[in-house]
């Protein structure tokens, strides 16, 4: 019997189903190749990628400059551990620290690890610098946060699916409403043992919730007034995704050409991951100035792979691409086009309630019950029409293409999206 193309798809899905833990519910499409804004499945069908691996692939799939850095460094020296120095780490730390405007960088691999690292730095700072009594430090977080999947991080999630039966949970976190300065101020006033405030500049996983205009700036000011560290989780929003180098940075003194002057909001601790490598390799980082980073001492934290020479080479190439190809600018401009066109459509739509976002991190809210499967069905139909996207929560679909997209490609994508939505009106 001859193997049909459909069989290739089914075979790959069956293997995952039989031999892989069932910790995801992927869209039924099996990808085998990527280039720039496009991916191809095992049946040879070509798609626009409108998720970018949750914004890890901002620089586009298999960017030649990043791939070359990966290959060249892998052939020379891949891993030493931090037991010895390597000749790439320092170069990378200097490059990235200057790029984002901080004194120092601590290298890790995944976003969740970087968040854990930030929490540890914050707690140490609380005891050793701020003078909070041992084991009393509290960190403020927001409802509907997403910071990763480790035991401590899910301890302060309020997503029942992420938490259920993974207790007992880590103590030391106070949850407040997102985008509420009142809640933040009240909590800061009530409690003398607050060490930090951990926040996403836009809540991506929750459904691309953009806070009020002055929220981050005012929240930072409140933190400063109470001697509390402002910790920005920019794992998803960072590195040009929202039309600026960082979503916290309106106008900061970083390496981004289009961005000079004083920072609008400069976090005390900045957490980066995902697009730090352009999707080629797991690279994450925590950045802070000396006054905070000095609490980290030999033996107090580490990672076998963190800061390895391949990660260093890949991250430098990935960050250079962001600047060389003006990805922040492009995300800004295309984001305006995207929301304008979608808003025009939404005026006459019954199926879409609204579009929201910044730069090329956007979402539409489907006009149906939160637990309906309409968004899922729309994503299946988008796939049939050659565009891959995924619902975030229930009736919300996130749209986050690679930032190397051209305006012509984006307009092509908008046409696909609107044509698909019309089929559901
Ligand atoms: C994806 C994400 C993380 C976790 O990153 P992983 O690499 O999956 O561990 C943390 N914070 C935010 C805001 C994210 O979007």
């Amino acid at each position: 019997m001859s193997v049909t193309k459909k069989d290739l798809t089914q075979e790959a899905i069956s293997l995952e189903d039989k031999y892989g833990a069932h910790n995801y519910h992927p869209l039924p499409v099996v990808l085998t190749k990527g280039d720039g804004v496009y991916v191809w499945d095992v049946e040879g069908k070509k798609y626009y990628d409108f998720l970018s691996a949750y914004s890890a692939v901002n620089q586009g799939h298999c960017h030649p400059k990043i791939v070359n850095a990966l290959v060249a460094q892998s052939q020379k020296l891949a891993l030493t551990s931090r037991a010895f120095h390597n000749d790439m780490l320092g170069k990378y730390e200097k490059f990235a620290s200057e790029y984002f405007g901080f004194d120092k960088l601590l290298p890790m691999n995944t976003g969740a690890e970087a968040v854990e690292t930030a929490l540890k730095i914050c707690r140490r700072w609380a005891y050793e610098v701020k003078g909070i009594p041992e084991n009393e430090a509290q960190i403020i977080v927001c409802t509907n946060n997403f910071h990763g999947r480790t035991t401590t991080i899910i301890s302060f999630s309020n997503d029942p699916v992420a938490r259920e039966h993974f207790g007992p949970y880590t103590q030391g976190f106070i949850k407040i409403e997102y985008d509420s300065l009142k809640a933040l101020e009240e909590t800061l006033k009530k409690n003398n043992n607050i060490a930090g405030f951990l926040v996403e500049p836009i809540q991506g996983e929750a459904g691309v919730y953009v806070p009020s205009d002055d929220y981050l700036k005012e929240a930072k000011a409140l933190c400063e007034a109470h001697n509390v560290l402002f910790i920005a989780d920019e794992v998803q929003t960072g590195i040009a995704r929202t039309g600026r180098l960082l979503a916290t940075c309106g106008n900061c003194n970083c390496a981004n050409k289009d961005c000079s002057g004083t920072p609008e909001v400069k976090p005390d601790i900045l957490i980066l991951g995902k697009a730090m490598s352009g999707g080629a390799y797991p690279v994450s980082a925590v950045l802070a100035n000396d006054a905070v980073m000095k609490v980290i001492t030999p033996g107090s934290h580490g990672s076998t792979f963190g800061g390895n020479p391949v990660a260093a080479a890949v991250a430098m190439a990935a960050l250079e691409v962001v600047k060389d190809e003006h990805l922040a600018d492009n995300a800004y401009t295309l984001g305006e086009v995207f929301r304008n066109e979608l808003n025009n459509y939404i005026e006459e739509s019954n199926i879409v309630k609204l579009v929201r976002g910044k730069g090329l991190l956007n979402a539409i809210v489907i006009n149906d019950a939160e637990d309906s499967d309409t968004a899922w069905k729309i994503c299946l139909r988008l796939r049939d029409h050659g565009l891959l996207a995924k619902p975030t929560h229930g009736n919300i679909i996130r749209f986050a293409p690679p930032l190397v997209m051209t305006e012509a490609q984006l307009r092509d994508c908008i046409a696909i999206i609107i044509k698909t939505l019309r089929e559901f009106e």
Side-chain angles (χ1 to χ4, degrees):
M1 221 174 77
S2 74
V3 180
T4 69
K5 287 177 168 184
K6 279 261 175 289
D7 292 337
L8 292 174
T9 297
Q10 204 40 59
E11 185 183 78
I13 292 176
S14 303
L15 280 173
E16 281 190 29
D17 186 58
K18 182 157 195 295
Y19 295 103
H22 293 177
N23 58 329
Y24 277 91
H25 179 46
L27 211 71
V29 58
V30 179
L31 302 175
T32 186
K33 195 173 90 171
D35 183 9
V37 299
Y38 300 111
V39 285
W40 286 261
D41 72 11
V42 287
E43 300 175 26
K45 187 171 158 76
K46 181 180 177 182
Y47 306 88
Y48 284 107
D49 179 0
F50 244 63
L51 182 64
S52 309
Y54 301 102
S55 297
V57 191
N58 288 0
Q59 296 87 335
H61 288 275
C62 302
H63 194 292
K65 180 166 175 168
I66 302 172
V67 172
N68 285 341
L70 176 79
V71 171
Q73 188 58 48
S74 309
Q75 288 172 334
K76 193 166 169 240
L77 180 68
L79 183 65
T80 58
S81 84
R82 299 287 303 276
F84 312 116
H85 295 279
N86 71 66
D87 63 359
M88 292 300 290
L89 178 58
K91 273 187 213 161
Y92 161 56
E93 289 171 331
K94 176 176 193 289
F95 179 88
S97 294
E98 288 174 359
Y99 191 98
F100 292 105
F102 287 86
D103 291 342
K104 283 188 167 56
L105 175 150
L106 196 161
M108 298 299 282
N109 312 284
T110 66
E113 279 179 318
V115 172
E116 290 276 353
T117 301
L119 298 173
K120 285 172 76 177
I121 294 172
C122 181
R123 283 179 169 185
R124 271 230 164 158
W125 176 87
Y127 302 125
E128 297 180 4
V129 179
K130 183 166 177 174
I132 290 176
E134 190 63 24
N135 291 327
E136 298 291 323
Q138 299 285 323
I139 295 174
I140 302 176
V141 298
C142 296
T143 46
N144 300 325
N145 67 69
F146 181 84
H147 298 288
R149 300 299 199 159
T150 60
T151 319
T152 288
I153 291 171
I154 58 111
S155 291
F156 56 79
S157 161
N158 58 290
D159 177 356
V161 182
R163 280 170 60 87
E164 193 186 28
H165 297 160
F166 290 133
Y169 302 112
T170 308
Q171 298 296 297
F173 299 94
I174 299 173
K175 218 175 291 149
I176 64 166
E177 196 187 328
Y178 186 63
D179 195 20
S180 169
L181 292 167
K182 187 162 161 278
L184 179 62
E185 186 165 24
E186 278 171 8
T187 311
L188 288 168
K189 276 188 175 153
K190 262 202 312 250
N191 194 322
N192 290 327
N193 294 333
I194 309 282
F197 174 49
L198 171 65
V199 66
E200 297 160 83
I202 291 173
Q203 287 191 325
E205 292 309 299
V208 189
Y209 284 99
V210 183
S212 321
D213 276 349
D214 282 338
Y215 174 64
L216 296 169
K217 202 163 125 191
E218 298 292 326
K220 171 69 167 67
L222 283 171
C223 288
E224 254 172 54
H226 288 85
N227 193 23
V228 158
L229 298 182
F230 182 92
I231 309 167
D233 180 349
E234 293 234 31
V235 171
Q236 187 161 157
T237 53
I239 317 185
R241 171 55 57 187
T242 68
R244 303 187 291 201
L245 182 58
L246 299 172
T248 45
C249 152
N251 202 13
C252 70
N253 198 8
C254 56
N256 187 345
K257 261 204 210 58
D258 324 301
C259 174
S260 64
T262 38
E264 185 175 81
V265 184
K266 169 123 185 183
D268 299 299
I269 303 180
L270 173 66
I271 305 167
L272 296 172
K274 293 198 169 115
M276 195 80 179
S277 70
Y281 200 77
V283 181
S284 69
V286 174
L287 292 108
N289 283 344
D290 287 325
V292 171
M293 200 63 101
K294 71 176 182 192
V295 301
I296 293 298
T297 49
S300 61
H301 192 56
S303 160
T304 303
F305 282 87
N308 73 71
V310 176
V314 166
M316 280 192 280
L319 291 173
E320 274 170 1
V321 168
V322 169
K323 222 182 348 153
D324 293 348
E325 302 187 15
H326 308 289
L327 297 189
D329 266 356
N330 198 44
Y332 180 84
T333 313
L334 295 192
E336 298 291 304
V337 172
F338 184 80
R339 286 183 300 280
N340 282 340
E341 294 296 322
L342 265 286
N343 272 322
N344 285 342
Y345 171 71
I346 288 167
E347 272 179 35
E348 44 168 280
S349 169
N350 290 313
I351 192 73
V352 187
K353 262 196 246 178
L354 57 91
V355 59
R356 65 177 171 232
K358 266 196 178 168
L360 283 177
L361 181 58
N362 294 289
I364 56 170
V365 180
I366 302 303
N367 191 13
D368 204 339
E370 263 178 50
D371 60 353
S372 79
D373 61 356
T374 311
W376 177 260
K377 285 182 178 149
I378 291 171
C379 287
L380 288 175
R381 196 74 66 84
L382 284 169
R383 174 203 62 182
D384 297 340
H385 292 323
L387 186 147
L388 297 179
K390 185 110 195 284
T392 50
H393 269 83
N395 60 340
I396 301 167
I397 302 174
R398 172 174 31 201
F399 288 128
L403 310 182
V404 291
M405 187 163 266
T406 64
E407 183 168 340
Q409 288 168 334
L410 182 77
R411 291 196 181 275
D412 194 19
C413 293
I414 293 168
I416 294 173
I417 290 167
I418 290 177
K419 173 175 103 176
T420 306
L421 290 169
R422 277 194 211 285
E423 294 171 8
F424 287 80
E425 293 288 352

